[in-house]
Amino acid sequence: MRILILTHAFNSLTQRLFAELERRGHDLSVEFDINDGVTREAVTAFRPELVLAPFLKRAIPDDIWQHWLCLVVHPGIPGDRGPSALDWAVQQGLDWWGVTVLQAEAEMDAGPIWAWEAFPMRPDRKSSLYCNEVTEAALAAVLRALQRRSATGFQPRPQEGIEEGARGSPHRPIRQTDRELDWTTEDTETVLRKLRAADSQPGIRDRLGGQTLRLFDPYPEDELRGPPGELIARRHGAVCRATVDGAVWIGHLRTEEEGNGFPFKRPAVEVLGEAARALPERAVGLKEAAHRTFQDLAYRERDGVGFLYFAFYNGAMGTPECERLLAAYRQAWERPTRVLVLLGGPDFWSNGLDLRRIEAAASPAEESWQNIQAMNDLVRAILTTRDRLTVAAMRGNAGAGGVFMALAADRVFAREGVVLNPHYKNMGNLYGSEYWTYLLPRRAGANASRTIMERRLPLLAGEAMELGLIDGVCGTSPTGTENEVAHWAFQRAADPALTDDIATKGRRLDAAEVEKPLDAYRAEELERMRLNFFGFDPSYHVARYNFVHKVPHSRTPMYLARHRSLRYRSKAAYRSGTG
Ligand code: COA
């Protein structure tokens, strides 16, 4: 089917649908919803059989839905109508929720239903539900809607026909006044639920340390106590604030006051400055904590296998995160295990350098340089581990250098449904490092490596496996992947043949080093990165600024808007009889 994806941005859900539909042989193009005239141009050029809208922030123009079948993915159950659908569902602590694929009509979200899918809610952040349950349900519902579109005689169901009990209702957008926190009366679960409903956007406005700020990135704390509303501790970049019956860690803040600080999220301690630095540092070791707390690095061990978790906010790994993870890796390395499994976080494996930290630095070029060196040191440590088998288990999505960091492990697995963006060019033609020039061709071969880097498109875990980028796809949820990889790792650790395999790997590393030293790959990559960071072409700095400041798109990039290529234009003219 010829499908035009009309979307506010090429976000994780859109990327997943794009990759899944393309894999099924559909003819796809993408247009960002920037301007009605541009959308009209897109449908005229592409003449789609279907316009699919997975992520819109405004209504589709009347003349478009009246002429073209437009299906909208709404993150709510049938009958639910209006913006902030998922925010309300999380804030109200609902037990289950769903995604509906409905036909666009005059009233937003009120059109007839083509398909819908329910899922049980998890007490977690909106962003986590979005990239897991919502994405899976949306994919299932979209595929069912497409089947129905191809079948003859299917009539979408009017919303009025949906039985009570399975039906939502219209609602207004959620406002900051609905989200307001009262730390002196609300318990931990209430505070947490509200913060989770606002994460990763738009956060909750609040007063903290004498400033008006937006609060993001919350974690429950079961042991620390203090006067309700007071800041009571800090840990790395996060601060802990007491509630009436416990406490909540806040990992990130954004200033609300114009001209005061940076208008994007940063680690809470850095935003609060002295007010946070005066707080007692409550360190937590690497051993997995027995109670709920903020712990972005954790280690556990069983039957000869070590498991190292690293869950950094949004998968961003700045210089401190890379250094802390390297220190944790070295600690794990000292343990008598035969297999070491790296698990990233449940929602993100890694998205490479921390572009926000870089943007906020006195010298972004210098900070970029420090960050890539720290990242490379980490990758090198994984890559040159000679005495045990290393395994990367990607439970969540990964992008840019984060993908190559995973490829440094001996075996790489990913959850089914994970989307990988193993390329750097979208960030202002960044060349990239992380030893990718060694790691990628070694796995995928020279030709596929070139295609992956140039294409700039997301890859599904299954496609990455077919290309040889990763070794296997396992599990359909973050926990499922963890369990399946753990099962595999226990078997490997108990396998006497592992000793020989580890010895073979050592010999392979020696041979590769003789052929071309790892340092040479690093030096060559960094030579190009030096130009990106310190050279005359500012593309990387401009792209990073736009990314961090969320500058709205002014056009759809050509690698997505395929209908803008000459080949498509002539095909469309032929179809419409004007060519
Ligand atoms: N540094 C800082 N923040 C990052 C980040 C990074 N490297 N990668 C993602 N984020 C943040 C986004 O700003 C967004 O923040 P929000 O919670 O405030 O909205 C959040 O993580 C989710 O990212 P988003 O871009 O919305 O996710 P996506 O699924 O739509 O896209 C990527 C995934 C990987 C394609 C995209 O995030 C990306 O291009 N990241 C940058 C990768 C990169 O170039 N890294 C540097 C070179 S190694």
Side-chain angles (χ1 to χ4, degrees):
M1 202 180 289
R2 205 164 48 254
I3 304 173
L4 179 72
I5 297 184
L6 178 64
T7 185
H8 175 74
F10 201 48
N11 72 345
S12 59
L13 169 60
T14 312
Q15 291 177 28
R16 175 81 187 278
L17 290 174
F18 178 93
E20 294 277 1
L21 296 181
E22 183 148 85
R23 190 175 171 75
R24 287 168 174 79
H26 295 289
D27 184 6
L28 301 179
S29 193
V30 179
E31 188 66 60
F32 289 163
D33 179 33
I34 293 166
N35 165 281
D36 293 351
V38 175
T39 306
R40 282 186 197 106
E41 257 175 48
V43 284
T44 311
F46 195 54
R47 305 194 72 74
E49 293 160 82
L50 174 71
V51 176
L52 181 65
F55 172 46
L56 280 188
K57 293 204 168 175
R58 55 190 206 127
I60 298 176
D62 290 355
D63 59 321
I64 291 184
W65 63 259
Q66 282 161 359
H67 287 93
W68 311 89
L69 175 65
C70 297
L71 298 187
V72 176
V73 178
H74 176 68
I77 57 174
D80 178 272
R81 210 174 286 174
S84 336
L86 194 54
D87 303 54
W88 280 118
V90 176
Q91 178 141 326
Q92 288 163 354
L94 302 182
D95 293 338
W96 68 279
W97 196 235
V99 175
T100 307
V101 174
L102 42 85
Q103 191 165 334
E105 278 194 352
E107 193 183 338
M108 216 169 161
D109 306 330
I113 292 166
W114 280 76
W116 74 283
E117 189 74 21
F119 57 82
M121 288 283 268
R122 254 180 319 123
D124 210 327
R125 299 172 185 191
K126 177 181 62 172
S127 53
S128 177
L129 290 156
Y130 189 80
C131 67
N132 289 291
E133 286 83 346
V134 169
T135 299
E136 296 305 329
L139 174 64
V142 164
L143 293 179
R144 200 161 333 113
L146 292 189
Q147 263 170 13
R148 290 173 171 169
R149 169 74 176 136
S150 306
T152 43
F154 177 79
Q155 286 300 318
R157 218 167 144 196
Q159 298 208 9
E160 294 68 41
I162 304 291
E163 52 286 352
E164 293 277 340
R167 198 165 70 201
S169 52
H171 52 76
R172 59 175 173 77
I174 194 164
R175 302 189 189 111
Q176 279 296 323
T177 44
D178 302 310
R179 302 190 192 266
E180 229 164 77
L181 299 170
D182 185 348
W183 294 81
T184 56
T185 59
E186 287 174 334
D187 61 11
T188 301
E189 294 313 312
T190 309
V191 168
L192 203 54
R193 207 170 53 240
K194 287 183 174 178
L195 284 164
R196 282 171 167 166
D199 210 80
S200 63
Q201 295 294 344
I204 299 189
R205 191 189 302 130
D206 204 355
R207 292 284 299 169
L208 201 56
Q211 303 184 49
T212 304
L213 299 159
R214 291 266 172 138
L215 277 49
F216 301 92
D217 188 19
Y219 307 82
E221 166 59 52
D222 287 340
E223 283 200 338
L224 300 177
R225 292 280 185 279
E230 296 285 306
L231 288 177
I232 52 175
R234 69 184 161 95
R235 178 175 300 158
H236 306 302
V239 291
C240 187
R241 193 173 188 185
T243 61
V244 288
D245 62 345
V248 171
W249 288 95
I250 308 290
H252 280 74
L253 296 170
R254 192 186 78 206
T255 177
E256 280 276 278
E257 294 155 11
E258 226 166 281
N260 181 14
F262 298 93
F264 48 84
K265 294 176 204 174
R266 295 174 60 219
V269 169
E270 288 175 26
V271 175
L272 291 171
E274 266 320 298
R277 284 188 199 102
L279 296 168
E281 168 92 39
R282 296 284 185 177
V284 64
L286 197 52
K287 187 167 174 276
E288 211 175 18
H291 63 278
R292 295 188 307 169
T293 189
F294 162 59
Q295 188 178 28
D296 56 4
L297 282 170
Y299 179 78
R300 72 182 173 86
E301 203 174 291
R302 210 191 105 192
D303 299 339
V305 181
F307 298 90
L308 182 57
Y309 302 80
F310 50 99
F312 301 124
Y313 192 50
N314 288 330
M317 292 179 50
T319 310
E321 285 75 28
C322 293
E323 289 173 352
R324 287 203 294 120
L325 179 52
L326 177 57
Y329 186 84
R330 289 196 171 127
Q331 253 177 279
W333 202 352
E334 277 162 19
R335 300 288 311 156
T337 57
R338 280 164 58 86
V339 181
L340 178 54
V341 183
L342 306 174
L343 282 133
D347 298 329
F348 293 98
W349 161 265
S350 166
N351 277 329
L353 311 187
D354 184 348
L355 299 170
R356 287 189 179 126
R357 166 176 287 275
I358 291 171
E359 192 61 35
S363 164
E366 191 55 44
E367 184 57 38
S368 303
W369 186 251
Q370 298 300 332
N371 199 162
I372 194 62
Q373 298 284 4
M375 190 70 161
N376 281 354
D377 292 346
L378 170 67
V379 175
R380 193 187 166 93
I382 302 169
L383 185 53
T384 55
T385 302
R386 289 164 166 272
D387 62 347
R388 70 199 74 194
L389 188 74
T390 54
V391 181
M394 304 167 90
R395 297 180 291 162
N397 293 349
V403 180
F404 299 106
M405 193 245 288
L407 303 193
D410 301 318
R411 291 285 174 277
V412 185
F413 299 105
R415 167 173 67 78
E416 193 182 331
V418 150
V419 174
L420 305 177
N421 276 285
H423 45 81
Y424 301 89
K425 283 200 161 187
N426 289 346
M427 198 51 66
N429 265 328
L430 196 63
Y431 184 75
S433 189
E434 289 98 1
Y435 299 86
W436 76 264
T437 52
Y438 169 77
L439 293 166
L440 186 59
R442 197 176 61 128
R443 281 185 161 265
N447 287 343
S449 300
R450 209 168 307 117
T451 314
I452 291 168
M453 280 294 193
E454 296 296 325
R455 231 173 118 241
R456 305 175 172 210
L457 286 172
L459 275 181
L460 294 172
E463 293 172 315
M465 188 177 74
E466 282 159 21
L467 288 167
L469 207 65
I470 65 171
D471 300 293
V473 177
C474 56
T476 52
S477 66
T479 319
T481 305
E482 180 174 351
N483 292 342
E484 284 193 34
V485 173
H487 182 72
W488 180 89
F490 291 137
Q491 283 182 338
R492 279 290 17 224
D495 181 356
L498 183 63
T499 309
D500 283 348
D501 292 350
I502 291 169
T504 308
K505 147 171 137 165
R507 283 194 293 276
R508 220 181 298 123
L509 277 171
D510 290 339
E513 190 66 24
V514 169
E515 200 180 306
K516 178 171 171 180
L518 280 177
D519 284 347
Y521 287 95
R522 180 168 176 157
E524 284 167 12
E525 290 169 3
L526 289 179
E527 199 51 44
R528 304 288 290 267
M529 290 291 259
R530 183 181 282 284
L531 288 177
N532 288 135
F533 300 156
F534 301 102
F536 288 113
D537 179 358
S539 302
Y540 156 70
H541 298 292
V542 172
R544 189 195 62 241
Y545 177 93
N546 290 343
F547 179 82
V548 168
H549 289 86
K550 297 187 185 288
V551 174
H553 300 287
S554 55
R555 62 180 184 89
T556 312
M558 284 297 284
Y559 65 92
L560 293 175
R562 293 162 171 179
H563 53 280
R564 298 200 181 277
S565 77
L566 277 178
R567 191 171 67 86
Y568 263 108
R569 283 205 193 154
S570 53
K571 253 199 211 171
Y574 172 76
R575 279 185 218 122
S576 65
T578 57

